[in-house]
Amino acid sequence: MTAIPSPAMMTEPLPADGPSRTSLAVWAGFALMCVALFMSVLDVQIVLTALPTMQRGLHIDENAMSWIQTSYLTAEVISIPLSGLLTRALSLRGCMVLAVAGFTLASAACGFSDGFAMLIVARTVQGLFGGVIIPCVFSAVFLLFGPRDEAVATGLAGVMAMLAPTLGPWLGGWLTVHFGWPWLFFINLVPGIVAVAGMVWLLPREAAEPALLRHLDRAGLVLLALAMIGIEVALKHAPQAGWAAPVTLACGIGGLIALGAFVARCLRISMPLVDPAALADWRVALGTGCNAVLGATLYGSTYLMVIFLGLVRGMDALAIGETVVLTGAAQLLTAPLAVWAERYVAPLPYCLFGFALFGLGCWTDAALTPDSGFAALFWPQMLRGAALMVCILGTTRLALGHLAESAVANASGLFNLARNLGGALGIALIDSLLYGQTPQRIAAIAKGLRDGDVHIAAMLHLPIDDFLAMHDMPLDDDTRALLQPLITHLGLSQSINLIWVVLAVACIAPVVACAVPMLRKPVDRAATPG
């Protein structure tokens, strides 16, 4: 599932004495903006369940198919910081029309892709425009509406942002099975065209300031892109070439150098792409760090579940979607309770509880076998889904809830950036672990069979008496063909289980980080809403 974006208020809000009533035309235009928000959030999830199908259809290596997801997330990391400047330079109306039109055209290019390279390029462009849409919609709440209507507008955007990841896995599976994977992207075309035409007509025409584009930190943008690409390529290249291979080292070290240069530049220039000054506030820093962990574990756990269901269990896209949708359903069902509880619990213990529950959901998935079915997967997904709203609300309140209005814009940009950054790097790291250790596990299982290991034979459901009688005998081709997928699936499931443990351990970091301030001093009740 994807997290509900926090309001990235990248533009100046209307004054408190702004209009108390909003015209029907503006409401209709904002509704179309929410349709675009739904599309951009949906596109993170709708593709997930079809990854194994796309991998086979486009003849992509299994260890490369995650690029379909990470290219989108990485592009969003790059474009999210641009949304504020683009809104001021092009006006809200111009920025949204450009972003939705670009997203729609990129969706068409994704659907028409006939190869891996074309798909990744189109998916990257799609993510660049999608990353602008999300913060612009939440900014529009404060730009288009007076205090009387802000709550309703925020609720409408929030519902669309929550509904998209809930429906995404099932819808993606259904479209893939009945129409083929290109329709995962073609489904955006009609809503996109309607949204563009409607927003041109309905949204207020405001003065644009294109001269502001001269202040865009182009060097910082290049450094950020190089850092993301270098680190991700190193993580994905290491399993095949090795961590000490020249290409791995060059990409990894180059990415880290670019990241360091980007941070140094942001601290030095007057109008940086991202202003890290907000991180001097320990609550902003802690909440943003927790959000990065949430992005890594959230996107990583969903991706890992799809890998298990598609490559180990052999499910089609629809069956994968019907299973993965449990997490979104649990998130939707528990959202009212989480919202109510957040009013009475301080941010630190609230975050601690959410990440502990999410980590428990990962830990309970760490004993999967190639035979694990719906019943074994039900409760871990329900636990993670129930924890999601707690983590989202807790990290948002911790990072942004205590800030003055003038400080929210920059802190919110960093906060949203951290989630996608964590997600992109988390998936890349999962690939590195998964495909780095699985060949050794498969080789160890095969050796165990040759050595007569009865425990391994039992895990593969081989008849023990026949196994003991035949294990010293040479294998014929038919027996090899029968054993090979069983061995591969067992080795892959063992690697997946280890990564579930890694995700559970990753959740310990925000738990400890939230616990330390609670132990050092009493919980600040002033930070507790309500």
Side-chain angles (χ1 to χ4, degrees):
M1 303 296 101
T2 191
I4 300 173
S6 64
M9 294 176 284
M10 301 291 186
T11 52
E12 292 297 324
L14 287 170
D17 59 350
S20 59
R21 293 182 178 275
T22 306
S23 69
L24 185 61
V26 170
W27 273 112
F30 182 72
L32 291 174
M33 293 178 69
C34 289
V35 170
L37 170 69
F38 180 86
M39 291 161 51
S40 62
V41 176
L42 181 73
D43 235 68
V44 179
Q45 300 299 330
I46 197 172
V47 171
L48 268 174
T49 53
L51 284 178
T53 303
M54 298 171 74
Q55 176 255 325
R56 292 189 293 269
L58 294 174
H59 309 291
I60 304 169
D61 289 340
E62 289 179 354
N63 60 358
M65 69 178 176
S66 66
W67 276 113
I68 300 171
Q69 197 70 342
T70 54
S71 60
Y72 186 91
L73 292 173
T74 301
E76 282 196 331
V77 168
I78 296 169
S79 64
I80 284 174
L82 301 177
S83 59
L85 178 62
L86 291 176
T87 300
R88 293 193 295 271
L90 305 177
S91 79
L92 177 65
R93 174 174 170 269
C95 185
M96 277 299 298
V97 168
L98 175 65
V100 178
F103 182 88
T104 304
L105 290 173
S107 297
C110 288
F112 285 118
S113 298
D114 57 1
F116 181 59
M118 180 179 177
L119 176 62
I120 296 304
V121 171
R123 187 79 167 138
T124 300
V125 175
Q126 192 187 33
L128 287 172
F129 286 108
V132 174
I133 291 172
I134 297 172
C136 278
V137 172
F138 282 93
S139 295
V141 171
F142 302 91
L143 291 170
L144 299 179
F145 302 99
R148 177 174 177 173
D149 296 323
E150 283 178 4
V152 176
T154 302
L156 177 60
V159 167
M160 298 300 279
M162 183 183 292
L163 190 61
T166 303
L167 294 178
W170 174 83
L171 181 60
W174 187 84
L175 286 171
T176 303
V177 168
H178 292 287
F179 297 99
W181 67 261
W183 279 91
L184 301 174
F185 305 105
F186 291 153
I187 194 176
N188 293 328
L189 300 187
V190 172
I193 292 170
V194 171
V196 168
M199 288 187 300
V200 168
W201 180 37
L202 295 168
L203 289 179
R205 289 169 171 79
E206 301 166 335
E209 300 180 71
L212 289 175
L213 293 175
R214 293 198 301 267
H215 298 294
L216 174 64
D217 182 17
R218 296 175 180 83
L221 193 64
V222 171
L223 287 172
L224 179 60
L226 290 175
M228 291 295 299
I229 293 170
I231 294 170
E232 287 191 24
V233 169
L235 288 172
K236 290 177 180 292
H237 196 265
Q240 287 75 40
W243 288 99
V247 174
T248 306
L249 289 174
C251 290
I253 295 173
L256 291 174
I257 291 173
L259 182 60
F262 172 73
V263 173
R265 182 174 178 81
C266 289
L267 291 170
R268 188 177 68 251
I269 66 174
S270 58
M271 295 186 65
L273 196 64
V274 175
D275 185 1
L279 298 179
D281 184 321
W282 71 268
R283 285 174 289 187
V284 175
L286 179 55
T288 301
C290 288
N291 204 32
V293 175
L294 178 61
T297 54
L298 169 62
Y299 292 118
S301 61
T302 309
Y303 172 69
L304 194 60
M305 182 59 68
V306 170
I307 292 293
F308 174 77
L309 296 174
L311 301 186
V312 177
R313 295 285 293 153
M315 292 183 176
D316 65 19
L318 181 55
I320 295 174
E322 291 172 344
T323 304
V324 175
V325 78
L326 284 173
T327 304
Q331 180 186 3
L332 196 62
L333 289 172
T334 57
L337 178 60
V339 171
W340 173 82
E342 192 253 354
R343 296 175 57 198
Y344 302 100
V345 182
L348 286 172
Y350 202 67
C351 283
L352 188 154
F353 174 76
F355 280 99
L357 189 61
F358 196 95
L360 179 62
C362 294
W363 181 268
T364 52
D365 253 337
L368 298 177
T369 72
D371 303 312
S372 295
F374 186 86
L377 304 173
F378 180 83
W379 285 113
Q381 292 195 92
M382 295 298 285
L383 286 172
R384 292 196 296 273
L388 270 177
M389 277 305 294
V390 179
C391 293
I392 292 166
L393 294 171
T395 53
T396 303
R397 176 64 63 181
L398 177 61
L400 309 177
H402 64 288
L403 295 176
E405 189 176 84
S406 60
V408 169
N410 182 54
S412 181
L414 287 167
F415 182 80
N416 282 283
L417 187 69
R419 183 180 57 249
N420 278 39
L421 180 64
L425 295 180
I427 291 176
L429 182 59
I430 285 173
D431 262 4
S432 185
L433 292 172
L434 185 63
Y435 297 107
Q437 64 172 313
T438 299
Q440 287 80 11
R441 291 184 178 274
I442 290 173
I445 293 168
K447 181 179 183 301
L449 288 179
R450 290 193 298 270
D451 294 341
D453 191 321
V454 176
H455 178 64
I456 292 178
M459 287 193 291
L460 295 173
H461 301 296
L462 302 179
I464 300 302
D465 291 340
D466 293 343
F467 170 74
L468 292 174
M470 298 178 60
H471 84 269
D472 285 330
M473 301 172 59
L475 299 179
D476 55 52
D477 292 340
D478 290 339
T479 303
R480 289 181 182 275
L482 176 66
L483 287 176
Q484 187 58 47
L486 298 178
I487 294 171
T488 300
H489 291 165
L490 180 59
L492 192 55
S493 65
Q494 289 177 348
S495 298
I496 289 171
N497 287 342
L498 178 61
I499 297 172
W500 281 121
V501 174
V502 171
L503 292 177
V505 171
C507 291
I508 294 176
V511 168
V512 173
C514 291
V516 169
M518 292 170 59
L519 294 173
R520 291 182 61 184
K521 61 182 179 179
V523 174
D524 183 7
R525 293 296 173 186
T528 306

